[in-house]
Amino acid sequence: MLNRLKLEPSRILLNLAVIFIIALWTFPTAGLLISSLRDKNDIAASGWWTALSSADRKQVGRMKGSADQVEKDGKFVIFGNLFDGADATSGKVSAFGTKVQTPGANAAGSTVALDAGQSLTVGVDGSYVLTSPTKFTDERGGRVFFVSSQPPRFTLDNYQTVLFSEGIGRSFINSLTVTIPATIIPILIAAFAAYALAWMKLPFRGLLIAIIVGLLVVPLQMSLIPLLKLYNAAGYFMGVPSKTYLGIWLAHTGFGLPFAIYLLRSYIAGLPKDLIESAQIDGANDFKIFRRIVLPLCFPALASFAIFQFLWVWNDLLVAIVFLGSGPDQLVLTGKLNALLGSRGGNWEILTASAFVTIIVPLTVFFSLQRYFVRGLLAGSVKGG
Amino acid sequence: MAEQIIYAFFTVIIGVGGCFGYFYGSNWLLDRIFPANANNDSSAVRNLKMQSTIRPWLFLGPALLLLSVYLLFPVIETFWLSFHDRAGDKFVGLANYVWAFNDDQFRLSIFNNILWLAVVPALCTLMGLVIAVLTDRLWWGNLAKSLIFMPLAISFVGASVIWKFVYDYRGEGQDQIGIINAIVTYFGGSPQVWIALPFWNNFFLMAILVWIQTGFATVILAAALRGIPEDTLEAATIDGAGPFKIFFRIMVPQIYGTILVVWTTITVLVLKIFDIVLTMTNSQWDTSVLANLMFDWMFRGGGDFGRGAAIAIVIMVAVLPIMIWNIRQANKEQSGH
Amino acid sequence: MANIKLTNLNKSYGTVHILKDVNLDIKSGEFIVFVGPSGCGKSTLLRAISGLDQVSSGTLEIDDAVVNEVPPSKRGIAMVFQSYALYPHMSVFENIGFALENQGLSRADIKTKVEAVGEMLQLTSYLTRLPKALSGGQRQRVAIGRAIVRGAKVFLFDEPLSNLDAALRVQMRMEIAKLKRDLPKTTMVYVTHDQVEAMTMADRIVVLQAGKVMQVGTPMELYENPNSVFVAGFIGSPKMNFITGVPAEKLKAKTIGVRPEHFEFSDTKTDIAGTLDYTEILGSDSFLYVTTPTGMLTVRQPGRTEFKTGQKLNLKPIAQHVHRFGENEMRLAN
């Protein structure tokens, strides 16, 4: 790791280059996170990258009506503050106007002449003075369009909305119900099979390994139709619904097995032969060898596959769409998000918060167990450490 | 909500417990039926032999059953379907394949797939190599790598929300909230609906996969770089080689095998690419790829299993040789150490 | 109490013939060492006895019962592996007790037995440790402890000392020798490629080459009466010198073998004359490397040597220590 490529004097340049790449890579995710914490109007009004600085915001305020006028020096005057009753109730006014197209026509503090000899002055703090030579008659005051600079504002409202009223919370539990067994079951089944393929005497061992590894190539989409038919037939035959949690656990298990067996077999086969033989001489049968010797020793490989499978199942959309129903008791997070993408395509506050809820679990798993994940990746393609 | 949680909890317990139960139960039964701990030597020996003949199949049974049902059976079924008509009743020979190669949509999908194949693996590997080399020298290199790696943990749906937001389009004159259009308008350009620009939109979708997969390439290649013996680099330095010469003549040849493995792994992934296109454009605006075309023919309006199956077989045939090569290569690397 | 009898044992993997008609009688309580160069089949032979490998043909008897088909755990054997094969995730106690656990012994019995063995091998204070927290010698003792605790009739050792450094190896050699004294009824079969281990520990040595038993005998028998060029060359260090040509023909042999310590120096010219090339002085002995027309010869002299490099030397083998070998590299009768 130390200066292996002696590329001086580019130390600073190098750091900058890496920082630039990192920025490029994290920018999209950062946008999602920051947006999900913004007020829903802000999201639609300005880019998320402006959220940290004060943002200019176009607002509309309505002035008071004739009831509030006072007579002063022979003129009629209405005092008030534009922020009263506006969306954002504080801030600094930078400009104002009386037409919706030109909210920035006049700088704050200036006085504008309006029709019929009226004049309007708006201060930076939003206070306005409307003066007229004649008595105001309109009960409703006129509208003033203004640009105000807003301090950054963050809120958890979006999360509250998606978790409790958009059904994301429920889907979260459904996702866990799918993911936990769909991670543990294949580990167990694959580990036993991997041990058998690595160490037990059995006929056609080489052929079995070749077939199992060969199944790695099957595109998932290919198996959906035949399986759907099979599920419907089985469901009809046994008088149970065809879309069940058991069904999706088994499906994920089946799809995950080739990789699991491939990964675990190469790890288990790499355990010292002496250990296994020593246990055989010690009188342990294969079940005991597996339980007491192999399982504890291949923990790193199990952990790395577990992470893979967990991420894969949690992030899966297709299998869930096909094998689970779309009712609230079965719809998983990715499915929910996909549905929202269709029905709430423009509601970025809901999409961003929902998306973040779906990625928070995998990100947590990933960052806390990264070591095993990387090891698994390496074992999967090159020699592992 | 509480009810839901309790229900979920019990479902999980039953599912996982059943699996444990099978392995413990079947092995316990085997030990019971053929007891081997009895001191009567000849029968114990016989029973042990019986045990060791049966036990592998207890271990392998569930895996073989699931693999047969979930992968082997569908492959055979698909193969069979690909030679039959839309409902799978009548044998039509190669008609589905003939149709496919004359179909505009299929050709477009093939073209797009080739485009993806040409760009994504190369870009991921190249970026991965560059990042691996750059971060190799930094004290915070591991942090940097895990940030690059992070998108790998994000679902394709999640990623497409993220990237739809990046590509978001607002009419001209409005404030752009998508970063790309914001940058374009900042430099005086006019905003575009990026994902609806035929041909070019492919590249905007590819960017997502590159974003996701570069981390994979980086981590694998970084590990390979670290495996290069330090003394070969030192020897090269002493021999007067500059940094670029060291990189191209000493480092790259030593990790050449790994580079190829990374390349082909991503190639296989690209051949099966599906989710990004589904969630970003739903195959609209000429972005269809083979897997999505197949999906459309099977599930969507198409409803022609024969044609869908033919496309599936085409994908599998394309993937197969690369996969075989890849596994061989990985095994070679593994046994080489 | 266990004798082992191998009759016409053969073992092949595919077309590779690893063991060829091995016949061997190992007496109860004997310490037998299999020795030979790597690839000679000595480990395969040991594994065949253990039951880890099946034999292709022939019979294998332990205590007069044919055990060809009996799995390892039922043969009454214990094995110490080259890598020790300690279970890395189990404590020393669990490592030693694992076999007992598999026999279905009660916890209390396991505890008593393991502690007794721990005491015997001075491991008492290490019983709760994991193998990785032990030194090389201690690991070796745990491996031996695992064998002892089961009360096996036969101990098999597969090059157990080859992972140790030289000093420790000497110490462990003595410990194994002591073990043999402590367990006089246990038959021990020991595999090594190191002829020093074979010479120092064995009751009898079995020399193997290319899957064949070349000679069986006590260490001194092999040293004094090797039956072939191969055995003669393998046993003894430095190696025996082999001389062909005129000196051999004079003794009516194709080749004669002379050990380095069995040369005398002559003032007059002899059949074996040469130039001193190089000297190694070890203190106790000196080794002289002499180039002669028949090749380089090694001569051992006690203590220091007076000879200088480049000096001409006339060598004369001591007659009663000359080994004569015939055309087929086998010993010729005297």
Side-chain angles (χ1 to χ4, degrees):
Chain A
M1 275 163 285
L2 301 168
N3 298 351
R4 293 180 63 163
L5 272 179
K6 306 245 178 335
L7 258 175
E8 304 299 347
S10 50
R11 197 86 204 148
I12 297 165
L13 214 64
L14 174 71
N15 274 285
L16 285 178
V18 177
I19 288 171
F20 173 74
I21 294 171
I22 302 280
L24 207 63
W25 243 256
T26 47
F27 226 58
T29 321
L32 182 82
L33 173 61
I34 292 172
S35 297
S36 73
L37 292 169
R38 295 179 79 198
D39 181 86
K40 64 178 177 185
N41 296 314
D42 291 358
I43 299 178
S46 61
W48 58 269
W49 53 92
T50 61
L52 290 172
S53 61
S54 320
D56 277 351
R57 182 158 166 200
K58 293 166 198 159
Q59 292 201 84
V60 55
R62 187 173 287 281
M63 292 184 289
K64 293 175 189 167
S66 53
D68 292 309
Q69 61 184 303
V70 287
E71 198 177 341
K72 201 176 159 195
D73 304 335
K75 288 179 175 172
F76 296 90
V77 185
I78 295 177
F79 296 101
N81 193 306
L82 288 179
F83 286 116
D84 294 341
D87 286 338
T89 53
S90 66
K92 281 185 181 159
V93 174
S94 56
F96 66 97
T98 50
K99 295 202 177 93
V100 68
Q101 298 87 345
T102 55
N106 316 293
S110 63
T111 303
V112 199
L114 305 175
D115 299 342
Q118 293 185 357
S119 66
L120 175 65
T121 311
V122 178
V124 173
D125 59 353
S127 63
Y128 61 86
V129 183
L130 182 63
T131 321
S132 167
T134 57
K135 196 169 182 189
F136 291 103
T137 52
D138 288 345
E139 275 177 36
R140 281 186 77 187
R143 288 189 298 169
V144 178
F145 302 92
F146 63 102
V147 179
S148 68
S149 131
Q150 295 288 327
R153 264 186 329 168
F154 293 104
T155 166
L156 287 172
D157 286 354
N158 301 331
Y159 285 95
Q160 199 158 359
T161 311
V162 299
L163 282 179
F164 299 108
S165 37
E166 290 288 340
I168 288 282
R170 188 108 196 241
S171 289
F172 193 91
I173 294 170
N174 294 340
S175 270
L176 280 179
T177 313
V178 170
T179 309
I180 293 172
T183 304
I184 298 174
I185 295 173
I187 290 181
L188 214 57
I189 290 179
F192 272 102
Y195 173 77
L197 292 173
W199 289 107
M200 292 171 93
K201 285 196 186 88
L202 80 167
F204 314 118
R205 192 163 83 172
L207 184 69
L208 282 174
I209 295 171
I211 291 176
I212 291 172
V213 174
L215 290 174
L216 277 169
V217 305
V218 177
L220 185 58
Q221 299 88 343
M222 174 191 255
S223 48
L224 299 179
I225 289 285
L227 287 177
L228 207 55
K229 285 183 180 169
L230 187 74
Y231 270 43
N232 287 332
Y236 178 77
F237 184 70
M238 289 187 283
V240 291
S242 58
K243 304 201 166 186
T244 58
Y245 280 113
L246 180 66
I248 195 169
W249 294 338
L250 293 178
H252 274 306
T253 303
F255 297 143
L257 275 179
F259 179 64
I261 294 176
Y262 173 67
L263 183 80
L264 293 177
R265 196 199 76 87
S266 69
Y267 192 92
I268 291 175
L271 291 176
K273 191 179 182 195
D274 287 2
L275 276 188
I276 311 286
E277 292 184 336
S278 177
Q280 280 169 3
I281 290 180
D282 276 349
N285 65 31
D286 282 304
F287 186 57
K288 186 144 200 184
I289 295 176
F290 178 77
R291 221 160 30 95
R292 292 290 307 277
I293 314 286
V294 172
L295 217 47
L297 291 181
C298 65
F299 177 77
L302 296 179
S304 62
F305 171 71
I307 298 165
F308 264 106
Q309 179 75 1
F310 183 91
L311 292 178
W312 159 246
V313 175
W314 184 273
N315 288 338
D316 158 76
L317 170 65
L318 188 60
V319 178
I321 291 179
V322 175
F323 291 104
L324 273 187
S326 53
D329 60 330
Q330 286 193 327
L331 190 59
V332 295
L333 270 180
T334 45
K336 183 77 199 170
L337 188 60
N338 195 41
L340 288 177
L341 213 48
S343 66
R344 302 291 207 124
N347 296 51
W348 284 111
E349 74 283 2
I350 289 178
L351 287 179
T352 53
S354 304
F356 200 75
V357 172
T358 68
I359 67 176
I360 186 72
V361 171
L363 285 188
T364 313
V365 168
F366 168 73
F367 277 114
S368 52
L369 298 169
Q370 205 184 33
R371 197 158 55 96
Y372 294 112
F373 189 55
V374 171
R375 199 184 313 203
L377 270 185
L378 296 177
S381 52
V382 291
K383 184 184 159 51
Chain B
M1 197 79 141
E3 198 184 328
Q4 169 84 2
I5 292 175
I6 291 168
Y7 170 75
F9 182 75
F10 277 105
T11 320
V12 167
I13 294 287
I14 290 168
V16 174
C19 188
F20 273 95
Y22 162 77
F23 283 112
Y24 271 84
S26 65
N27 280 285
W28 178 82
L29 217 60
L30 184 67
D31 288 342
R32 262 305 157 92
I33 297 172
F34 300 104
N37 259 351
N39 279 336
N40 178 350
D41 264 337
S42 68
S43 85
V45 166
R46 210 172 47 239
N47 283 344
L48 261 185
K49 294 204 79 173
M50 277 312 283
Q51 281 192 11
S52 56
T53 317
I54 296 172
R55 206 186 304 272
W57 302 106
L58 294 184
F59 280 25
L60 271 173
L64 293 183
L65 183 72
L66 288 172
L67 286 170
S68 314
V69 172
Y70 286 90
L71 293 168
L72 216 50
F73 156 70
V75 169
I76 296 165
E77 174 89 355
T78 307
F79 192 70
W80 186 86
L81 278 175
S82 76
F83 295 105
H84 288 74
D85 69 350
R86 56 187 304 126
D89 300 327
K90 220 179 95 215
F91 181 77
V92 295
L94 289 170
N96 290 320
Y97 294 93
V98 173
W99 160 82
F101 286 96
N102 289 312
D103 182 60
D104 284 345
Q105 199 63 25
F106 181 85
R107 287 181 176 177
L108 175 73
S109 301
I110 289 263
F111 174 76
N112 285 341
N113 257 116
I114 292 172
L115 211 55
W116 280 74
L117 284 177
V119 175
V120 177
L123 211 54
C124 287
T125 312
L126 190 69
M127 292 289 299
L129 194 57
V130 168
I131 296 172
V133 171
L134 291 182
T135 52
D136 196 37
R137 307 175 57 204
L138 292 181
W139 60 268
W140 55 287
N142 277 337
L143 175 72
K145 268 177 282 185
S146 54
L147 286 174
I148 302 278
F149 197 41
M150 180 192 69
L152 212 55
I154 296 177
S155 65
F156 285 118
V157 189
S160 58
V161 171
I162 292 176
W163 282 85
K164 274 197 166 168
F165 199 49
V166 169
Y167 293 142
D168 189 75
Y169 165 79
R170 296 285 157 113
E172 201 147 357
Q174 293 181 35
D175 267 354
Q176 298 294 335
I177 65 168
I179 183 103
I180 304 278
N181 274 324
I183 292 171
V184 167
T185 45
Y186 180 81
F187 287 108
S190 55
Q192 300 285 338
V193 189
W194 299 108
I195 57 171
L197 291 176
F199 184 69
W200 299 109
N201 50 9
N202 281 309
F203 295 94
F204 294 110
L205 301 190
M206 288 177 206
I208 304 175
L209 193 60
V210 172
W211 179 69
I212 292 173
Q213 285 297 323
T214 295
F216 164 77
T218 305
V219 169
I220 305 276
L221 292 171
L225 281 181
R226 205 157 295 171
I228 295 177
E230 192 80 30
D231 30 7
T232 61
L233 305 183
E234 282 164 1
T237 315
I238 291 168
D239 286 345
F244 289 100
K245 194 152 199 175
I246 291 181
F247 178 73
F248 286 110
R249 298 289 302 280
I250 311 292
M251 286 175 135
V252 170
Q254 292 197 63
I255 59 168
Y256 191 62
T258 311
I259 292 177
L260 284 180
V261 167
V262 168
W263 189 297
T264 48
T265 304
I266 299 174
T267 300
V268 170
L269 191 85
V270 168
L271 275 170
K272 297 201 226 171
I273 190 69
F274 170 75
D275 305 52
I276 290 179
V277 176
L278 180 78
T279 48
M280 287 299 287
T281 62
N282 213 343
S283 303
Q284 296 175 82
W285 306 298
D286 294 352
T287 52
S288 178
V289 290
L290 285 178
N292 293 76
L293 188 65
M294 170 184 81
F295 186 77
D296 288 348
W297 276 106
M298 284 184 165
F299 284 89
R300 297 268 178 77
D304 189 324
F305 291 160
R307 290 181 177 178
I311 301 169
I313 296 291
V314 169
I315 297 176
M316 211 171 80
V317 167
V319 170
L320 200 65
I322 308 172
M323 201 74 187
I324 290 172
W325 182 88
N326 204 6
I327 289 166
R328 284 225 175 122
Q329 186 73 20
N331 284 343
K332 208 164 69 188
E333 296 249 323
Q334 217 152 1
S335 57
H337 286 261
Chain C
M1 279 295 288
N3 52 335
I4 303 171
K5 189 170 156 79
L6 315 179
T7 316
N8 295 328
L9 218 59
N10 278 284
K11 170 80 189 169
S12 24
Y13 289 106
T15 56
V16 189
H17 212 158
I18 309 275
L19 295 177
K20 296 166 192 160
D21 280 329
V22 174
N23 287 289
L24 195 59
D25 238 323
I26 301 173
K27 292 192 287 288
S28 186
E30 209 174 10
F31 196 112
I32 284 272
V33 175
F34 295 167
V35 71
S38 59
C40 70
K42 56 190 189 298
S43 283
T44 311
L45 188 55
L46 190 78
R47 291 171 59 82
I49 296 174
S50 74
L52 290 171
D53 284 348
Q54 295 286 310
V55 294
S56 307
S57 69
T59 54
L60 171 64
E61 291 162 65
I62 297 179
D63 265 346
D64 304 322
V66 177
V67 294
N68 283 25
E69 299 290 306
V70 177
S73 60
K74 298 281 177 193
R75 291 190 183 191
I77 50 130
M79 187 151 168
V80 175
F81 289 85
Q82 180 172 6
S83 64
Y84 318 141
L86 301 185
Y87 311 124
H89 58 297
M90 294 188 192
S91 67
V92 170
F93 184 97
E94 289 170 309
N95 259 288
I96 298 177
F98 188 61
L100 302 178
E101 187 191 315
N102 293 329
Q103 289 167 8
L105 263 63
S106 72
R107 274 171 190 279
D109 286 350
I110 294 176
K111 192 162 161 22
T112 322
K113 289 198 173 188
V114 172
E115 279 172 358
V117 169
E119 189 127 348
M120 180 177 165
L121 296 171
Q122 296 140 41
L123 286 168
T124 307
S125 49
Y126 302 104
L127 287 178
T128 55
R129 290 206 192 167
L130 288 178
K132 65 173 179 237
L134 300 178
S135 69
Q138 288 163 341
R139 286 179 204 184
Q140 175 74 68
R141 287 209 289 270
V142 175
I144 291 172
R146 284 204 309 205
I148 296 175
V149 79
R150 301 175 41 192
K153 298 175 290 186
V154 180
F155 280 13
L156 307 175
F157 296 89
D158 189 5
E159 308 215 19
L161 304 186
S162 56
N163 284 348
L164 302 178
D165 62 49
L168 199 53
R169 203 176 302 171
V170 174
Q171 188 197 333
M172 291 315 298
R173 225 152 60 195
M174 293 193 304
E175 286 196 27
I176 292 175
K178 180 171 163 295
L179 182 73
K180 179 177 131 192
R181 271 205 314 280
D182 292 345
L183 303 168
K185 289 179 177 172
T186 309
T187 310
M188 299 191 183
V189 183
Y190 188 107
V191 164
T192 180
H193 61 267
D194 178 355
Q195 56 96 16
V196 177
E197 278 176 30
M199 293 295 283
T200 51
M201 297 197 290
D203 290 332
R204 282 198 299 158
I205 296 175
V206 178
V207 183
L208 289 136
Q209 190 206 7
K212 279 193 184 133
V213 174
M214 298 302 288
Q215 191 172 6
V216 183
T218 64
M220 285 322 286
E221 274 169 20
L222 297 193
Y223 185 79
E224 286 166 355
N225 293 307
N227 68 358
S228 61
V229 170
F230 176 77
V231 175
F234 196 79
I235 302 288
S237 171
K239 272 181 71 162
M240 181 185 277
N241 299 295
F242 294 106
I243 302 162
T244 51
V246 181
E249 280 156 20
K250 273 191 182 167
L251 292 168
K252 298 195 187 83
K254 171 83 166 98
T255 310
I256 56 169
V258 184
R259 295 204 182 273
E261 56 268 42
H262 295 153
F263 279 111
E264 288 174 328
F265 299 97
S266 166
D267 294 333
T268 55
K269 173 127 173 77
T270 59
D271 293 337
I272 311 167
T275 317
L276 178 58
D277 236 14
Y278 179 66
T279 317
E280 282 178 349
I281 301 173
L282 273 64
S284 60
D285 294 300
S286 302
F287 296 136
L288 314 179
Y289 297 96
V290 183
T291 310
T292 70
T294 56
M296 169 89 78
L297 300 180
T298 314
V299 181
R300 183 200 294 242
Q301 267 200 302
R304 283 160 172 268
T305 180
E306 303 298 320
F307 301 118
K308 300 273 180 300
T309 306
Q311 197 172 343
K312 298 276 179 215
L313 293 177
N314 294 310
L315 299 174
K316 207 176 123 201
I318 300 171
Q320 71 264 38
H321 290 303
V322 173
H323 306 271
R324 298 188 312 129
F325 301 99
E327 208 59 60
N328 57 358
E329 301 213 325
M330 300 306 279
R331 184 180 192 86
L332 294 173
N334 283 326

